[in-house]
Amino acid sequence: MLAVQEVEDVDTLAHFARQELEGLGYRHIVLVEGNDPRLIDVGLLSRLPLGGVTSWRHAVHPEAPEHPVFSRDLLEVEVLNERRTKRLFTLYNTHLKSHFVPFGQDPVAGAAAADERRRQQAEELARIVSARMRPNSTFVVVGDMNDAPDADPLAPLFSKLPLTDGLRTPSRTGRRPRTTRPHPIGPGPIGSSRRASRPTTSSSTTSG
């Protein structure tokens, strides 16, 4: 699964999958146009089949019901097994409010407003997931949270949902990469070599 943010549209995402991920099996692609006027949306590429897809772009927070709470979207996607006979888990992908304060605005007031918006988004995300999932449901919350897991604006996620920070104790999955042997670089009477560095992996999910 590849959960992505700041993607222009589904055609761009499909082009990326064809050009950059060719042969890797990411055949299932999801993107729903969100609220950001800059056309930066959230999406998903998957090797596994996908089921129901729900966009929460129109969700509102009780404190500000006059406009959508999510700056981009909260995308909910069911991930199925290969035979499409069972839902493995539900994935929630989002992109919360950034810390950016527009030029000319008071930086302190602007930062406080951004934190408040992010708190509202976290609260609405937690409310939606709690309402949609059962006690024994398996789900993953991923995305660009624009804050540290222990930041105050994100506290509703961890206080209202049974989440585990996937970055706190990351682990490698799948096959280990092959070690590349040293190879000569450049001509000369004395061969020189350079050992390729081993790729590193990290997890970017928060699951519960």
Side-chain angles (χ1 to χ4, degrees):
M1 311 295 301
L2 293 178
V4 296
Q5 300 82 39
E6 299 199 12
V7 181
E8 184 173 341
D9 53 38
V10 69
D11 291 335
T12 300
L13 190 57
H15 177 79
F16 173 77
R18 289 193 303 269
Q19 297 296 318
E20 305 298 333
L21 305 177
E22 182 181 6
L24 297 181
Y26 290 99
R27 298 179 292 110
H28 309 281
I29 300 174
V30 172
L31 185 145
V32 177
E33 296 293 339
N35 295 319
D36 199 303
R38 297 170 296 170
L39 304 178
I40 54 174
D41 302 312
V42 298
L44 183 68
L45 301 104
S46 176
R47 294 172 176 172
L48 292 170
L50 303 177
V53 175
T54 302
S55 167
W56 293 94
R57 60 171 294 191
H58 298 296
V60 299
H61 191 277
E63 296 174 5
E66 66 279 4
H67 58 72
V69 65
F70 294 112
S71 309
R72 268 63 69 165
D73 195 2
L74 172 64
L75 193 62
E76 176 184 338
V77 183
E78 294 180 340
V79 181
L80 310 179
N81 64 357
E82 291 286 359
R83 299 179 62 186
R84 296 180 177 270
T85 58
K86 179 182 179 181
R87 183 178 65 189
L88 301 177
F89 60 92
T90 301
L91 184 143
Y92 293 88
N93 184 20
T94 192
H95 183 180
L96 301 187
K97 180 70 175 70
S98 73
H99 291 260
F100 174 74
V101 177
F103 180 77
Q105 288 190 11
D106 179 82
V108 176
D115 287 347
E116 180 68 8
R117 181 72 179 278
R118 206 175 310 107
R119 177 192 63 82
Q120 292 177 349
Q121 293 172 340
E123 287 182 348
E124 187 62 18
L125 193 162
R127 186 197 67 78
I128 290 171
V129 174
S130 296
R132 301 281 284 181
M133 298 291 98
R134 298 178 180 178
N136 62 342
S137 295
T138 301
F139 63 93
V140 181
V141 176
V142 301
D144 184 352
M145 305 303 173
N146 270 311
D147 232 331
D150 58 353
D152 289 341
L154 300 188
L157 292 179
F158 292 92
S159 64
K160 298 180 180 180
L161 296 175
L163 295 177
T164 300
D165 180 8
L167 290 177
R168 188 175 299 276
T169 55
S171 60
R172 185 190 298 273
T173 59
R175 294 179 297 178
R176 298 181 66 86
R178 293 180 297 178
T179 301
T180 303
R181 294 182 177 180
H183 61 282
I185 52 174
I190 301 177
S192 60
S193 65
R194 174 174 59 188
R195 185 179 298 275
S197 60
R198 175 176 294 179
T200 58
T201 61
S202 63
S203 168
S204 60
T205 65
T206 302
S207 61

